[in-house]
Amino acid sequence: MKKIIIIGCLWFICLACSSENDRTPQAQEQYTGVAYRKLTTVSVSGIPLNVTLLEVNDSRCPINAVCISAGSVNVKFNITDGTNSTDAVIALVNDNKDTSTQIFKLGGQKYSIKMQKVSPYPELPQTTKLEEYQVSITIEKI
């Protein structure tokens, strides 16, 4: 009887281990870093889009400070496909990445731009210069 229980447990463990290997990995979004006032090209479904980070308004609570709220960072991008151009403004509030998406239109085509991260994070007593900012974004055709 003990042998049947041991064989049954081993069989169950083997099934559990093999199902772990069968899972397909989730596709991760590929983020592109965009530096302040530097032209960056992002390929979206084979279409090259030129992105420029125009403005950064950072009111996030510095790392080594005590604040009432985490604050937010607002960024403004200019996006062009060579013929058409538009601006997109995105806010990252309380580091909530779920709300950091903006829909925009270029030449009749809709796109979604998502902001993942704005660095560097503020730190006292230093003041971050605009030229130091870099924003991680991804753009998708919708």
Side-chain angles (χ1 to χ4, degrees), residues 128-139:
T128 306
K129 296 177 185 166
L130 288 172
E131 298 81 28
E132 296 174 351
Y133 279 102
Q134 179 140 346
V135 179
S136 296
I137 62 164
T138 184
I139 300 177

Side-chain angles (χ1 to χ4, degrees), residues 113-132:
I113 182 170
K114 183 175 183 181
M115 184 168 58
Q116 171 69 16
K117 180 178 162 186
V118 178
S119 59
Y121 206 90
E123 187 173 348
L124 290 177
Q126 304 161 347
T127 304
T128 306
K129 296 177 185 166
L130 288 172
E131 298 81 28
E132 296 174 351

Side-chain angles (χ1 to χ4, degrees), residues 68-136:
I68 295 172
S69 71
S72 65
V73 60
N74 297 310
V75 297
K76 181 178 181 181
F77 297 98
N78 178 267
I79 305 148
T80 181
D81 61 4
T83 307
N84 306 293
S85 179
T86 190
D87 290 342
V89 178
I90 305 174
L92 184 60
V93 180
N94 295 329
D95 285 336
N96 184 356
K97 294 168 186 72
D98 294 335
T99 61
S100 62
T101 303
Q102 178 72 36
I103 306 293
F104 65 94
K105 211 174 195 181
L106 267 180
Q109 177 62 51
K110 280 188 177 181
Y111 295 91
S112 168
I113 182 170
K114 183 175 183 181
M115 184 168 58
Q116 171 69 16
K117 180 178 162 186
V118 178
S119 59
Y121 206 90
E123 187 173 348
L124 290 177
Q126 304 161 347
T127 304
T128 306
K129 296 177 185 166
L130 288 172
E131 298 81 28
E132 296 174 351
Y133 279 102
Q134 179 140 346
V135 179
S136 296

Side-chain angles (χ1 to χ4, degrees), residues 32-34 38-43 47-51:
T32 302
V34 179
K38 303 243 170 125
L39 184 67
T40 304
T41 302
V42 178
S43 181
I47 301 168
L49 298 180
N50 295 319
V51 181

